[in-house]
């Protein structure tokens, strides 16, 4: 799996889109929704809860179907390998804000992304007007990196952001700051306002 990107740098600390793409080869995965080739995207992350590390797979709730839940597992493809994800462990789904969090094993071959520390402190204002990064897998099976700007986070923990150019962010759920730390989940592009809407990670952590 390769990497494509718009722009050459994410920030001045040397964290380039190509570097991020290589890192995400062991993180970003395609979730098999059905046998007709339909896939969703998910990413592996590490949450802090009561001083313990919890290893999870995060995605949008519309990706995790009732059929998957009834079956008790689903498959993901990551870096040309197939993993079976057990849904009999802890599973949290919130359809209202469109996220799913599934507890998984601490896989040795997975790079688990971390949550940005400011999300735990619920410091919304620190992200205003800051650069964000979105990642997805395109039709050529390349990890695609897009940059954007987070405009603000509202009182309901929704944030509004846009990307360079007029095409909007990609469909990938992952939203990172420029230090490659998770700050939220992308929930979609709204054509009327020409912005993407996402969920601030603090709303997921507190659940």
């Amino acid at each position: 799996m390769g990497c494509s990107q718009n722009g050459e740098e994410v920030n001045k600390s040397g964290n380039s889109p190509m570097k991020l793409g290589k890192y995400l080869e062991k993180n970003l995965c395609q979730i098999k929704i059905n046998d007709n080739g339909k896939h969703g995207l998910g990413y592996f992350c590490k949450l802090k809860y009561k001083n313990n590390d919890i290893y999870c797979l995060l995605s949008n709730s519309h990706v995790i179907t009732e059929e998957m839940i009834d079956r008790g597992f689903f498959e993901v493809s990551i870096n040309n390998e197939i993993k079976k994800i057990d849904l009999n462990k802890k599973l949290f789904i919130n359809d209202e804000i469109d996220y799913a969090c599934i507890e998984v094993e601490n896989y040795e071959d997975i790079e688990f992304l971390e949550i940005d520390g400011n999300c735990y402190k619920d410091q919304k204002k620190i992200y205003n007007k800051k650069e964000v990064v979105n990642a997805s897998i395109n039709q050529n099976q390349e990890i695609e990196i897009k940059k954007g700007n987070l405009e603000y986070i509202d009182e309901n923990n929704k944030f509004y952001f846009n990307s360079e150019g007029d095409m909007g962010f990609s469909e990938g759920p992952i939203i990172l700051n420029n230090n490659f730390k998770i700050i939220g989940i992308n929930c979609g592009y709204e054509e009327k306002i020409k912005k993407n809407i996402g969920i601030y990670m603090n709303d997921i952590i507190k659940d």
Side-chain angles (χ1 to χ4, degrees):
M1 185 181 291
C3 170
S4 65
Q5 65 279 338
N6 64 346
E8 295 181 355
E9 291 187 7
V10 174
N11 64 15
K12 295 180 180 180
S13 66
N15 290 336
S16 68
M18 187 63 73
K19 180 180 176 181
L20 175 59
K22 287 293 184 182
Y23 185 72
L24 289 177
E25 285 181 1
K26 295 183 179 180
N27 180 281
L28 193 63
C29 67
Q30 290 181 306
I31 298 172
K32 181 180 178 182
I33 296 176
N34 58 37
D35 293 329
N36 298 322
K38 187 175 181 180
H39 291 84
L41 289 175
Y43 56 96
F44 293 92
C45 72
K46 182 169 63 175
L47 303 175
K48 290 282 186 186
Y49 181 71
K50 293 183 178 179
N51 296 320
N52 293 317
D53 290 332
I54 300 175
Y55 297 90
C56 303
L57 174 65
L58 281 174
S59 187
N60 298 111
S61 62
H62 65 264
V63 172
I64 309 301
T65 65
E66 289 185 9
E67 182 181 351
M68 292 178 186
I69 296 171
D70 291 341
R71 189 173 58 224
F73 71 92
F74 61 89
E75 293 180 344
V76 303
S77 172
I78 179 167
N79 203 21
N80 299 317
E81 293 185 9
I82 303 297
K83 286 190 181 297
K84 185 176 176 180
I85 304 298
D86 184 0
L87 284 175
N88 293 317
K89 292 190 174 186
K90 289 182 181 178
L91 168 67
F92 303 96
I93 291 183
N94 189 319
D95 290 322
E96 185 177 347
I97 59 174
D98 194 21
Y99 87 87
C101 180
I102 302 137
E103 187 175 352
V104 299
E105 300 174 31
N106 180 11
Y107 297 111
E108 292 184 357
D109 57 340
I110 296 292
E111 294 282 357
F112 287 87
L113 291 172
E114 295 183 357
I115 311 300
D116 183 63
N118 292 303
C119 293
Y120 292 102
K121 302 171 187 176
D122 194 17
Q123 295 181 340
K124 293 185 181 71
K125 292 183 179 179
I126 198 170
Y127 299 113
N128 289 350
K129 306 299 180 183
K130 295 294 178 66
E131 190 173 70
V132 292
V133 182
N134 179 237
S136 65
I137 300 173
N138 64 25
Q139 293 180 345
N140 297 321
Q141 297 300 300
E142 297 175 321
I143 292 176
E144 186 174 63
I145 308 296
K146 288 188 177 182
K147 296 186 294 181
N149 293 295
L150 195 156
E151 296 194 356
Y152 65 94
I153 301 173
D154 69 16
E155 66 277 5
N156 296 315
N157 278 335
K158 277 189 177 181
F159 59 66
Y160 299 83
F161 54 98
N162 52 40
S163 67
E164 296 175 343
D166 300 322
M167 298 305 291
F169 257 29
S170 60
E171 294 298 321
I174 189 173
I175 303 295
L176 309 171
N177 64 14
N178 58 11
N179 290 316
F180 303 168
K181 297 293 179 70
I182 301 168
I183 61 172
I185 291 180
N186 179 19
C187 295
Y189 184 72
E190 285 208 3
E191 185 65 35
K192 288 183 180 179
I193 60 175
K194 302 294 183 184
K195 289 178 177 56
N196 276 69
I197 294 179
I199 297 300
Y200 178 39
M201 205 65 199
N202 178 263
D203 215 24
I204 297 170
I205 293 167
K206 70 183 181 183
D207 278 359

